[in-house]
């Protein structure tokens, strides 16, 4: 799905890889005209400070499409000796967007290849783009990743009726001035942006100016806009209805019918995008998608909705941002989405706690080729979803199902009197990780699979000899994979009866270190998870009861950490469980995050003990 209003200027695409060049001057003028068109003017002056800067800035690309036309363009290089060389017409090229599931698109890029320039040169670029936006809104990225800016000026004018704007984020050195129907942003000596680990994607730009005009305020109005955009699409045609009846023939339950129709949309209709002009927003007719058996996310969503309605299951289109490291700015209603899925009324479906339900809706993604309706990809969990229903939009936060993104490591070994442990290691993966190994099982040669399994287990069990690797991946319910291998571990010190051997006990969690949170103002964005690690060790002779105080339990609204240590006769079992139940963690919740991280850190450093009398 194409919703280009998210990125209104080419700078989002052009500057992402810049290293340490200095932006001497950047000026952006956006003029909203009475006819609804927008004229964008940009001036850019960039000084090359390091050897790698030229390759990072040339070619510079400008995003265009059927509704974005390049009005003028000039570019040149000022060398350290004062010589100016203009960019020749032959150094300007246009590239169409294709591949990665996109069969054809009206999106294209005009690339500007500067003549080779040494360090100290200044690249200059001036251009104008005229746009006829489908939705009256846009945005400007204020900061620039990895490059400082000496002078910045962003001006938006002509907003008129319904004018509104919002600066999402903050950047030191920026001043904002509101004008009649517009806004001006200026800045001096803006710092190079280098976001910390686990930062939101938006942190690389510091702040984003969002603006809109016309009768579009409120998420209901955004839903009305999309409803009007799709209102004339022929729906509920007889071939689609007949297909729904065929696919659900003999099925009595609503859930069984839903599963059958979802499986058809996912596996029998290929994901292929053709996004030309308004086609980036408006789906093709469900009958056309059914006949050709391919379509993009919105095509598949509307086909599934029509199939479901024929069997009495109410469903609606959903606009959503599919991005594990980003989120929609809830405070500024506009189409900040890049994906379309489906919301189904949760009533009468016999749903379970594991199903992705929120706000009375079951959320399902027809573009997921594996898994059942109980699994929603992590990139669309905990996201603002705009359910387009009854001529309006309803914003609903999709749920988090961290238990569906689990990792469980089981190590079962026996210890000899000489201190040699032998047994088996088993790693069970659910969700996105299970999907990756399922794809691996279907596309790689056996010897490649064996090598990857050994590497994956070896990274968790350093110093352990592994052999006889196996992979079993399954596509049922939540995608899953099980990696196993035989193991042998020689303890570095002789085993002493009544002691606990020093074993490699890994952490399966991916959370920020404690120091990363100190003084931090940015949210932490992490992948929710549910993990379990269990070491089961058979000792050569009866052991002793473990000393007290080694079991731990920490639990709060954010997640939990639990450790249990048991010694029963000859069998010693160490188990650790961790869970993170939130993706976007604001600074106010950092104390809870620290509590969980600290508990796991201390458990990892503490040596386990037994007491023998």
């Amino acid at each position: 799905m194409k919703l280009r209003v998210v990125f209104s200027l080419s700078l989002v695409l052009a500057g992402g890889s810049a290293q340490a060049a200095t932006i001497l001057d950047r000026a952006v003028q956006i003029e909203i005209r009475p006819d609804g068109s927008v004229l964008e003017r940009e001036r850019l002056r960039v000084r090359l400070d390091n050897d790698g800067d030229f390759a990072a800035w040339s070619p510079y690309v400008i995003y265009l499409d059927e509704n974005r036309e390049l009005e003028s363009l000039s570019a040149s290089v000022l060398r350290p000796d004062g010589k100016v060389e203009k960019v020749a017409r032959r150094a300007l090229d246009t590239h169409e967007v294709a591949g990665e599931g996109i069969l054809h698109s009206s999106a294209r890029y005009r690339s500007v290849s500067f003549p080779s320039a040494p360090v100290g040169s200044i690249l200059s670029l001036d251009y104008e783009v005229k746009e006829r936006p489908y939705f009256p809104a846009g945005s400007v990225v204020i900061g620039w990743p990895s490059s400082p800016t000496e002078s910045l000026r962003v001006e938006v004018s002509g907003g008129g009726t319904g004018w509104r704007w919002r600066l999402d984020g903050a950047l030191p050195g920026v001043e904002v001035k509101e004008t009649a129907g517009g806004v001006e942003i200026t800045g001096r000596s803006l710092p190079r942006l280098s976001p910390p680990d686990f930062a939101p994607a938006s942190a690389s730009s510091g702040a984003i100016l969002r603006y809109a005009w016309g009768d579009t305020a409120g998420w209901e109005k955004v839903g009305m806009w999309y409803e009007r955009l799709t209102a004339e699409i022929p729906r509920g045609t007889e071939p689609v209805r007949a297909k729904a009846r065929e696919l659900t023939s003999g099925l009595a339950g609503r859930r069984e019918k839903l599963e059958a129709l979802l499986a058809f949309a996912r596996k029998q209709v290929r994901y292929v995008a053709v996004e030309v002009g308004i086609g980036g927003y408006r789906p093709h007719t469900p009958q056309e998608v059914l006949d050709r058996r391919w379509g993009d996310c919105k095509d598949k969503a509307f086909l599934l909705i029509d199939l479901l309605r024929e069997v009495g299951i109410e469903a609606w289109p959903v606009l959503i941002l599919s991005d594990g490291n980003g989120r929609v700015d809830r405070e500024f209603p506009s189409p900040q989405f890049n994906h379309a899925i489906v919301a189904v009324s949760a009533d009468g479906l016999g749903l379970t706690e594991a199903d992705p339900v929120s706000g009375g809706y079951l959320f399902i993604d027809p573009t997921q080729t594996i898994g059942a309706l109980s699994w929603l990809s992590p990139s669309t969990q905990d996201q603002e979803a705009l359910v387009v229903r009854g001529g309006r939009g309803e914003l609903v936060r999709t749920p988090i199902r961290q238990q569906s993104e689990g990792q469980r490591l089981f190590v079962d070994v026996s210890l000899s009197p000489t201190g040699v442990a032998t047994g088996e290691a088993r790693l069970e993966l659910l969700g996105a990780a299970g999907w990756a190994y399922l794809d691996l099982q279907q596309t790689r040669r056996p010897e490649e699979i064996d090598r990857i399994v050994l590497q994956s287990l070896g990274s968790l069990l350093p110093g352990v000899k592994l052999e006889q690797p196996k992979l079993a991946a399954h596509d049922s319910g939540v995608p899953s994979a099980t990696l196993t291998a035989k193991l042998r571990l020689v303890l570095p010190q002789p085993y002493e009866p009544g002691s606990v051997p020093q074993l490699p006990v890994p952490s399966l969690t991916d959370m920020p270190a404690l120091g990363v949170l100190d003084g931090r103002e940015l949210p932490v964005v992490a992948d929710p998870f549910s993990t379990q690690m269990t070491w089961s060790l058979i000792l050569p002779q009866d052991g002793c009861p473990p000393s007290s105080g080694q079991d731990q339990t920490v639990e709060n609204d954010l997640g939990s950490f639990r450790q249990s240590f048991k010694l029963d006769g000859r069998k010693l079992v160490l188990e650790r469980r961790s869970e993170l139940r939130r993706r976007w963690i604001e600074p106010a919740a950092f104390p809870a995050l620290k509590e969980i991280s600290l508990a796991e850190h201390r458990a990892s450093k503490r040596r386990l003990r037994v007491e023998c009398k």
Side-chain angles (χ1 to χ4, degrees), residues 13 49 208 254 314 365 406 476 544 556 608:
L13 302 166
D49 295 333
I208 298 175
R254 290 167 58 83
E314 280 297 301
D365 187 347
S476 59
C544 308
N556 52 47
L608 300 173

Side-chain angles (χ1 to χ4, degrees), residues 118-133:
V119 170
S121 298
I122 297 175
L123 308 183
S124 296
L125 183 73
D126 295 84
Y127 65 88
E128 291 186 359
V129 171
K130 183 179 180 180
E131 181 177 11
R132 297 178 300 278

